[in-house]
């Protein structure tokens, strides 16, 4: 049954969008104003208990720098869920997120649960929520606005993914 599951979760998105910060907020309750850029990828685990189930997340936090792009398939292969992060202050990062989603639609696990995350919600936005929400809806993705800095919606992000995976 699905009461205790282990799930591979991959974070993708442009450099500096806050992938590591979101994972560290969730796993350790920490945030750093000067978070170092990830090299290659970093691995974390965290267990989340729902009422009726326990999900153990194996989290791959990938590096957003373009030179690491070719490594990404190693990390999204076999993933149950993918979190594609953009920074609401950067239109470029939103465009980059859409490229990741197209790649996952072409080459990812067909049952992959995908979440589009609009991070840095504590800052002044350049990307309209409506545009991202509409894009997410058209592509069958979950959409959530977060701030790793303030912790807004960070637990909710992982909780929503866990709920989807347990239902599947
Ligand atoms: P790469 O490893 O290069 O791909 O970057 P990343 O996506 O993992 O971003 P990272 O978590 O390293 O964060 C980049 C910068 O943005 C850091 O200086 C963080 O402190 C900052 N940052 C991350 N999340 C937030 C947020 O929600 N709000 C604000 N204001 N800053 C954030």
């Amino acid at each position: 049954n699905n009461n205790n599951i282990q799930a591979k979760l991959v974070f993708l998105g442009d450099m500096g969008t806050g992938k590591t910060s979101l994972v560290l907020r969730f796993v350790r309750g920490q945030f750093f104003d000067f978070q170092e850029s990830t090299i290659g990828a970093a691995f974390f685990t965290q267990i989340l208990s729902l009422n009726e189930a326990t999900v153990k997340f194996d989290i791959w936090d990938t590096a957003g720098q373009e030179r690491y792009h070719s490594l990404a398939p190693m990390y999204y292969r076999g993933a149950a869920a993918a979190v594609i992060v953009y920074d609401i202050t950067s239109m470029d990062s939103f465009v980059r997120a859409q490229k990741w989603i197209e790649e996952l639609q072409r080459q990812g696990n067909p049952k992959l649960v995908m979440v589009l995350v609009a991070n840095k919600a504590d800052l002044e936005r350049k990307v309209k929520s409506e545009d991202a929400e509409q894009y997410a809806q058209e592509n069958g993705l979950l959409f959530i606005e977060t701030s790793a800095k303030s912790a807004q919606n960070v637990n909710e992000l992982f909780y929503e993914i866990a709920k989807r995976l347990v239902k599947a």
Side-chain angles (χ1 to χ4, degrees):
N1 70 32
N2 275 338
N3 283 350
N4 286 302
I5 64 171
Q6 184 161 359
K8 178 176 172 182
L9 177 56
V10 64
F11 274 68
L12 298 164
D14 208 352
M15 61 181 290
T17 53
K19 299 178 292 300
T20 303
S21 299
L22 287 165
V23 175
L24 282 181
R25 171 61 79 188
F26 174 61
V27 172
R28 301 202 191 128
Q30 295 177 328
F31 177 82
F32 302 99
D33 278 313
F34 300 98
Q35 178 61 49
E36 278 176 34
S37 191
T38 302
I39 295 169
F43 180 72
F44 300 86
T45 64
Q46 178 67 299
I47 293 171
L48 204 157
S49 294
L50 306 176
N51 287 331
E52 70 293 2
T54 301
V55 178
K56 179 176 180 254
F57 283 118
D58 287 338
I59 305 170
W60 285 100
D61 166 28
T62 68
Q65 292 179 47
E66 187 51 41
R67 69 177 117 144
Y68 298 114
H69 185 174
S70 61
L71 301 179
M74 266 187 346
Y75 299 108
Y76 62 68
R77 195 173 298 136
V83 177
I84 303 94
V85 184
Y86 72 92
D87 166 352
I88 66 160
T89 73
S90 157
M91 186 53 80
D92 283 353
S93 76
F94 180 51
V95 172
R96 186 77 191 92
Q98 296 175 43
K99 300 274 181 252
W100 276 119
I101 290 157
E102 286 161 23
E103 178 170 337
L104 291 167
Q105 286 169 339
R106 272 197 318 270
Q107 322 204 45
N109 161 13
K111 287 193 200 150
L112 187 67
V113 171
M114 284 197 250
V115 190
L116 178 62
V117 170
N119 190 41
K120 308 199 186 181
D122 58 291
L123 298 178
E124 204 178 320
R125 74 172 62 249
K126 294 265 168 59
V127 182
K128 284 195 202 135
S129 322
E130 298 79 18
D131 294 347
E133 228 163 294
Q134 191 186 341
Y135 176 84
Q137 208 164 28
E138 285 168 3
N139 286 276
L141 321 167
L142 297 170
F143 173 70
I144 189 162
E145 289 203 334
T146 60
S147 168
K149 183 164 183 161
S150 75
Q152 175 193 332
N153 273 344
V154 176
N155 285 338
E156 288 77 1
L157 163 64
F158 289 88
Y159 190 78
E160 285 304 318
I161 295 168
K163 280 201 296 193
R164 281 296 170 104
L165 295 177
V166 167
K167 263 194 251 160

